């Protein structure tokens, strides 16, 4: 599986290629799926470009994207969108249009409560386990571990990304038997994606994780990143 991460917490300062409105996210999603993406991760935004867990904002984003693509669509529940754990939980429980899955960063306060609420709603949970945090240890003993959809192993180290990725995977161990999606960010995005390809793990690519192609050129779109990501991953060799 190659997921496209359309925008992340980035904003207008990160360039015109970044989709910030429901309509531009839907267009970017359609182009990325046409390029080969099989799953979508998106951060719904307010009109001023800030991440939001508001039921209205989430609904508008999901409806726009689903009108253009038929692959699963997931959203963030990152604490930066709503720092107060109780308010974040209330937002999620108030969603009127449900995503197929939602990422929950296991090191954040209130993570397990958010994950439990999503599971009760029938929404798949992507357990976000970041390098450099205690998330792997927390996830290892979580009773919700076997119930999540998959683990998002996120490598935050941009200098020694592959080494950090291997360390993170070792910390995760069997990961409750759940599938692992391995990805990096910024300068670590491409090395970690290539490692995921060699290990046969799911991965993701998109303007959330990197604004640049492997050769250093600025990416023109999420679709361009997906196209190059499939090459770097070795998808053609795996499919032959």
């Amino acid at each position: 599986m190659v997921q496209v991460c359309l925008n992340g917490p980035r904003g207008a300062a990160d360039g015109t290629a970044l989709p910030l409105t429901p309509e531009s996210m839907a267009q970017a999603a359609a182009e990325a799926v046409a390029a080969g993406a099989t799953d979508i991760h998106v951060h719904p935004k307010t009109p001023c470009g800030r991440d939001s867990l508001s039921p209205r904002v989430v609904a508008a984003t999901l409806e726009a994207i689903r009108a253009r693509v038929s692959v699963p669509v997931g959203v963030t529940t990152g604490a930066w969108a709503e720092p107060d754990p109780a308010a974040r939980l209330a937002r999620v429980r108030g969603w009127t249009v449900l995503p197929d899955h939602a990422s929950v960063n296991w090191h954040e306060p209130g993570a397990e409560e958010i994950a439990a609420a999503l599971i009760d709603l029938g929404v798949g949970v992507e357990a976000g386990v970041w390098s450099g945090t205690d998330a792997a240890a927390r996830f290892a003993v979580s009773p919700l571990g076997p119930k999540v959809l998959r683990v998002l192993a996120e490598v935050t180290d941009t200098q020694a990304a592959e080494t950090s990725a291997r360390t993170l995977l070792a910390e995760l161990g069997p990961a409750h038997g759940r599938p692992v999606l391995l990805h990096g960010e910024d300068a670590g995005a491409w090395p970690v994606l290539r490692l995921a390809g060699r290990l046969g793990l799911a991965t993701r690519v998109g303007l959330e994780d990197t604004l640049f192609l492997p050769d250093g050129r600025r990416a023109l779109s999420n679709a361009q990143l997906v196209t190059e990501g499939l090459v770097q991953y070795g998808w053609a060799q795996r499919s032959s």
Side-chain angles (χ1 to χ4, degrees), residues 75-98:
V75 301
T76 184
T77 64
W80 57 87
E82 177 50 73
D84 179 69
R88 196 179 335 134
L89 182 60
R91 288 287 203 184
V92 169
R93 285 177 171 163
W95 286 348
T96 55
V97 177
L98 297 177

Side-chain angles (χ1 to χ4, degrees), residues 158 161 183-194 203-205 209-210:
T158 61
H183 72 103
E185 59 185 39
D186 296 321
W190 293 110
V192 174
L193 182 146
R194 288 189 287 266
T203 193
R204 78 180 199 184
V205 68
D209 285 352
T210 181

Side-chain angles (χ1 to χ4, degrees), residues 124-161:
V125 172
E126 295 183 308
V129 177
W130 292 22
S131 65
T133 72
D134 64 352
R138 289 189 184 189
F139 184 72
V141 297
S142 174
L144 297 178
K147 300 179 182 180
V148 306
L149 175 66
R150 58 179 158 257
V151 175
L152 296 183
E154 180 160 343
V155 180
T156 59
D157 183 353
T158 61
Q159 301 303 311

Side-chain angles (χ1 to χ4, degrees), residues 26 29-30 33-34 37-40 62-73 100-101:
V33 169
T38 56
D39 193 278
I40 293 166
L62 291 173
E63 288 170 346
I65 293 174
R66 285 174 171 158
R68 300 291 302 274
V69 302
S70 58
V71 304
V73 184
D100 295 287
H101 51 76

